[in-house]
C-alpha cells in the first residue's frame, strides 16, 4: 500500500454515488439505505466542494418498503431520470425503479418498478450506444450461481425495457461483481465494476475493468486488475460513475471507507482521475488530491420554519413530528411497537471523535436529549426525564438506564462526547456553570450496522401528545 492521504469530497455516509453535470454545475446522489428522506442530493461547481440541496424522495414511493440503494442519474432531453434500487413491499425483494423530474435535485415523480428479475435486481446503469439506450444491472446475487451483469434495451422515453436480456459479464470466479459503469473510447467498450465484499468491517471492495469491441461482449478482463484499490488512508473503494471535468478530464466519483474512522463514518464519497495508457491502452484510476478539510462543526439554531435538509431518521421504525417556532424545535411522533429506542432525528457523522450538544427547554414525563443511533435496537444517549438526567442504552433487546441523577431546575444543556475508541461520555450543564459528567464512559460494540454508519442527533421517547423542545443542536468534530 502506498501513502495517499486525501480528504473525501462528500464526507460521511454517501455510498454508491452517481453524478451528473448540468452546464457547469454537478449534482450527486447516493445510497440512503434505511434513512429518510431518501437519496440526498449534493451540488458542486468544482467536484470537490459540495453542499446538500435536497432529496430525490421526501416520501417513500408507494411500492417500496426500504433498502434505498445505488441511485443512478441520467438525462433525456430536459428530463432528469433516477434509476434506483429499493425493496418491494409485496415480497421484500430488491428491484429497480425509475423516477423523473424537470430538476436534478427535487420534484421527482416515481414510475414504479422498471426491472423485476429473479430474487434481486440492483445497481442500474444506463448507457447510450449510438442513439440506442441500454440499461444494465446486477443479477443472481442471492442465487447459488455466479453473479452476472445483465443488460437490456431501454425505450426512448427511458421508462420501459425492450427485447431480451443479455449477459455482459459473469462472475465465474465468484469473487463478487456489481456497481458497473461503461465508457466507450476508440475501438472499445470499457466495463468498470466493483468486486469483493462491499460493506462493513470485512469489506474487500476494489475496481476492475474489462473491455470488448461490442457492448454485448465478449469482454476481456484486464490482466493488471484491480485499477483502484486500498491505500494507507482509504480502503474498499468502488461503485461509482464517471463525469467530465471542465478541462477535458474525466473523473470517477466513488466511495471508500476511511481507515481512521473505519466503518463508523460509512462509505464516503471520493474522487479519482481517469487516465489512459496510450491509444487502445487500458485505463488507470488515481485518487484526485483534495485538501479541503472536513467541516469541523455543524450547527442548527432552528431559526427557519422548515427543517434543515441535513436531518434524517429511521423511517422503518419512527414517524417523527417536527415543528419549528421562534428558535425552538418541537420533536414528537410515533414509533413501531418493536422500537426500543424512540424517535431519533439525526445527522451523518464525519468523524468517530466528536461531541454533540443541545439544550432541553421543557420538562415532562418523556425522555429527551441526545443519541448515537445505529438502529431501533442499538443506540446510546443522555436525556432529561422529569426531574432526572439519565444515561441510557438499547442493546441486546433491552432498554437500560445506566446512570440517573437529579436534574437542576430550568433549561438543561446536554453533551455526548465520543472518542476514537467508540467510548462515549455524558455531561450536563445548568445555566452558565461548567459541564459535569454523568456516570462513567460507555460503549456499544454493536455499532455501527452492516451497510451504513450510525447517526447522531436529537432523541425523544414518549407519547405523541407530549414533545421535546430544543433550542439548538451542535455537532463538533474533535
Amino acid at each position: 500500500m502506498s501513502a495517499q492521504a486525501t480528504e473525501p469530497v462528500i464526507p460521511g455516509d454517501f455510498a454508491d454515488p452517481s453524478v451528473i453535470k448540468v452546464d457547469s454545475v454537478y449534482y450527486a446522489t447516493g445510497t440512503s439505505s434505511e434513512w429518510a428522506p431518501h437519496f440526498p442530493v449534493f451540488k458542486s461547481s468544482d467536484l470537490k466542494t459540495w453542499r446538500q440541496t435536497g432529496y430525490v424522495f421526501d416520501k417513500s414511493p408507494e411500492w417500496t418498503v426500504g433498502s434505498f440503494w445505488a441511485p443512478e442519474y441520467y438525462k433525456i432531453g430536459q428530463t432528469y431520470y433516477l434509476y434506483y434500487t429499493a425493496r418491494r413491499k409485496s415480497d421484500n425483494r430488491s428491484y429497480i425503479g425509475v423516477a423523473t423530474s424537470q430538476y436534478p435535485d427535487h420534484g421527482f415523480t416515481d414510475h414504479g418498478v422498471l426491472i423485476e428479475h429473479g430474487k434481486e435486481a440492483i445497481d442500474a446503469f444506463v448507457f447510450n450506444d449510438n442513439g440506442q439506450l441500454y440499461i444494465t444491472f446486477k443479477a443472481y446475487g442471492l442465487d447459488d450461481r455466479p453473479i452476472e451483469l445483465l443488460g437490456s434495451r431501454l425505450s426512448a422515453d427511458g421508462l420501459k425495457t425492450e427485447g431480451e436480456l443479455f449477459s455482459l459479464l459473469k462472475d465465474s470466479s465468484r469473487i463478487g461483481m456489481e456497481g458497473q459503469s461503461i465508457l466507450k473510447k476508440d475501438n472499445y467498450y470499457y466495463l468498470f465494476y466493483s468486486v469483493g465484499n462491499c460493506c462493513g468491517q470485512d469489506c474487500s471492495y476494489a475496481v476492475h475493468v474489462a473491455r470488448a469491441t461490442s457492448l454485448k461482449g465478449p469482454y476481456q478482463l484486464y490482466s493488471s486488475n484491480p485499477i483502484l484499490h486500498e491505500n494507507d488512508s482509504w480502503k474498499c473503494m468502488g461503485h461509482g460513475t464517471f463525469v467530465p471535468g471542465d478541462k477535458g478530464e474525466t473523473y470517477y466519483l466513488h466511495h471508500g471507507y476511511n481507515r481512521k474512522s473505519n466503518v463508523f463514518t460509512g462509505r464516503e464519497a471520493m474522487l479519482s482521475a481517469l487516465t489512459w495508457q496510450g491509444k487502445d491502452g487500458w485505463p488507470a484510476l488515481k485518487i484526485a488530491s483534495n485538501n479541503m478539510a472536513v467541516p469541523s462543526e455543524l450547527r442548527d439554531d432552528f431559526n427557519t420554519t422548515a427543517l434543515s435538509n441535513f436531518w434524517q431518521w429511521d423511517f422503518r421504525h419512527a414517524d417523527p413530528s417536527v415543528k419549528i417556532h421562534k428558535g425552538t424545535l418541537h420533536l414528537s411522533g410515533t414509533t413501531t411497537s418493536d422500537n426500543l429506542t424512540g424517535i431519533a432525528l439525526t445527522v451523518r457523522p464525519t468523524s468517530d471523535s466528536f461531541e454533540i450538544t443541545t439544550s432541553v427547554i421543557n420538562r415532562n414525563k418523556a425522555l429527551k436529549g441526545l443519541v448515537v443511533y445505529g438502529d431501533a435496537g442499538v443506540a446510546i444517549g443522555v436525556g432529561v426525564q422529569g426531574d432526572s438526567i439519565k444515561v441510557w442504552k438499547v442493546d441486546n433487546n433491552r432498554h437500560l438506564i445506566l446512570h440517573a441523577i437529579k436534574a437542576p431546575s430550568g433549561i438543561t444543556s446536554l453533551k455526548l462526547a465520543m472518542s476514537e475508541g467508540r467510548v462515549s461520555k455524558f455531561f450536563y450543564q445548568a445555566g452558565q456553570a461548567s459541564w459535569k459528567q454523568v456516570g462513567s464512559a460507555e460503549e456499544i460494540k454493536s455499532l455501527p450496522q452492516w451497510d451504513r454508519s450510525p447517526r447522531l442527533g436529537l432523541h425523544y421517547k414518549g407519547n405523541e401528545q407530549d414533545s421535546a423542545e430544543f433550542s439548538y443542536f451542535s455537532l463538533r468534530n474533535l
Side-chain angles (χ1 to χ4, degrees):
M1 297 183 298
S2 61
Q4 195 172 13
T6 191
E7 298 292 341
V9 293
I10 302 177
D13 192 25
F14 196 71
D16 313 323
S18 177
V19 59
I20 191 170
K21 187 177 185 181
V22 182
D23 298 324
S24 59
V25 179
Y26 300 91
Y27 292 88
T29 185
T31 284
S32 55
S33 200
E34 315 309 332
W35 308 108
H38 311 300
F39 301 127
V41 179
F42 286 74
K43 181 179 180 181
S44 176
S45 59
D46 61 4
L47 287 172
K48 292 187 177 182
T49 304
W50 296 82
R51 64 178 181 86
Q52 189 175 348
T53 62
Y55 292 89
V56 172
F57 296 126
D58 292 324
K59 296 182 178 180
S60 304
E62 181 61 30
W63 68 275
T64 67
V65 71
S67 299
F68 289 88
W69 299 337
E72 191 65 32
Y73 270 128
Y74 200 74
K75 189 179 183 184
I76 302 174
Q78 296 305 308
T79 301
Y80 296 91
Y81 288 70
L82 194 89
Y83 299 88
Y84 66 95
T85 298
R87 200 172 295 278
R88 188 163 64 179
K89 189 181 302 182
S90 62
D91 56 11
N92 215 35
R93 291 185 173 183
S94 291
Y95 292 127
I96 293 169
V98 59
T100 59
S101 176
Q102 297 305 300
Y103 309 94
D105 58 348
H106 68 280
F108 279 85
T109 299
D110 185 57
H111 298 278
V113 177
L114 174 69
I115 296 178
E116 171 189 351
H117 183 79
K119 297 179 182 178
E120 177 189 69
I122 66 174
D123 294 2
F125 179 79
V126 175
F127 182 74
N128 187 329
D129 190 23
N130 295 318
Q132 174 62 60
L133 294 178
Y134 291 89
I135 187 166
T136 65
F137 62 97
K138 172 193 174 181
Y140 311 127
L142 299 180
D143 292 276
D144 186 20
R145 58 176 288 179
I147 291 168
E148 290 186 60
L149 301 180
L150 301 182
S152 171
R153 291 200 312 272
L154 191 62
S155 61
D157 65 3
L159 298 177
K160 299 183 294 294
T161 58
E162 298 177 339
E164 297 295 322
L165 293 175
F166 56 90
S167 178
L168 288 92
L169 200 61
K170 182 182 291 187
D171 182 22
S172 300
S173 58
R174 300 201 178 201
I175 59 174
M177 178 185 292
E178 60 188 19
Q180 73 287 348
S181 291
I182 300 171
L183 290 178
K184 187 178 183 184
K185 182 179 184 294
D186 300 327
N187 301 316
Y188 291 102
Y189 295 82
Y190 290 85
L191 176 61
F192 299 81
Y193 56 97
S194 299
V195 305
N197 180 9
C198 69
C199 314
Q201 301 280 359
D202 299 323
C203 65
S204 57
Y205 239 28
V207 177
H208 287 211
V209 65
R211 72 182 184 184
T213 55
S214 166
L215 175 64
K216 297 182 181 181
Y219 280 86
Q220 173 194 359
L221 304 184
Y222 183 31
S223 61
S224 295
N225 279 326
I227 62 169
L228 183 64
H229 54 91
E230 64 183 10
N231 59 48
D232 288 344
S233 301
W234 294 90
K235 67 176 185 176
C236 304
M237 293 180 283
H239 198 139
T241 50
F242 292 94
V243 69
D246 289 332
K247 299 178 181 178
E249 323 97 311
T250 299
Y251 291 100
Y252 183 61
L253 186 70
H254 58 92
H255 70 239
Y257 281 118
N258 189 324
R259 285 188 178 277
K260 182 174 180 292
S261 55
N262 206 337
V263 299
F264 191 88
T265 50
R267 292 168 285 169
E268 306 185 58
M270 308 291 296
L271 191 67
S272 288
L274 176 70
T275 57
W276 299 91
Q277 302 172 47
K279 182 175 175 59
D280 288 340
W282 288 89
L285 286 171
K286 182 179 180 181
I287 296 178
S289 175
N290 178 32
N291 296 319
M292 300 294 294
V294 174
S296 60
E297 184 173 10
L298 180 152
R299 185 180 175 96
D300 196 337
D301 290 306
F302 311 127
N303 52 15
T304 62
T305 56
L307 188 66
S308 297
N309 59 25
F310 46 73
W311 290 102
Q312 290 184 294
W313 57 91
D314 179 355
F315 72 96
R316 301 164 305 159
H317 296 112
D319 184 15
S321 173
V322 177
K323 297 179 182 178
I324 300 175
H325 182 66
K326 294 184 178 180
T328 299
L329 183 142
H330 303 255
L331 177 63
S332 185
T334 59
T335 62
T336 56
S337 59
D338 60 343
N339 183 343
L340 297 177
T341 295
I343 293 169
L345 184 67
T346 61
V347 301
R348 301 176 310 131
T350 55
S351 170
D352 63 351
S353 180
F354 60 85
E355 62 181 28
I356 51 177
T357 55
T358 192
S359 285
V360 181
I361 297 173
N362 64 329
R363 297 285 177 91
N364 52 32
K365 294 181 180 179
L367 178 63
K368 47 206 170 293
L370 297 168
V371 63
V372 178
Y373 180 97
D375 200 271
V378 185
I380 193 165
V382 58
V384 179
Q385 185 174 33
D387 62 356
S388 297
I389 296 174
K390 296 180 177 180
V391 175
W392 57 271
K393 76 173 180 178
V394 173
D395 205 6
N396 294 319
N397 296 313
R398 295 184 302 166
H399 186 286
L400 301 174
I401 302 300
L402 304 176
H403 308 282
I405 64 170
K406 184 174 177 58
S409 59
I411 296 173
T412 302
S413 296
L414 301 172
K415 178 166 66 174
L416 190 161
M418 182 176 285
S419 62
E420 293 178 6
R422 315 286 164 79
V423 175
S424 297
K425 295 182 179 180
F426 312 90
F427 304 85
Y428 77 96
Q429 182 185 56
Q432 299 301 313
S434 59
W435 289 101
K436 295 182 179 180
Q437 186 169 342
V438 184
S440 56
E442 298 288 343
E443 179 185 10
I444 296 184
K445 294 183 179 180
S446 49
L447 284 168
Q449 300 298 294
W450 167 69
D451 73 328
R452 62 191 190 275
S453 76
R455 296 294 194 266
L456 322 173
L458 300 172
H459 172 250
Y460 176 79
K461 184 175 175 61
N463 63 49
E464 189 177 4
Q465 289 69 44
D466 288 332
S467 68
E469 298 177 5
F470 302 102
S471 63
Y472 80 97
F473 173 81
S474 173
L475 161 62
R476 188 171 67 89
N477 291 337
L478 301 176

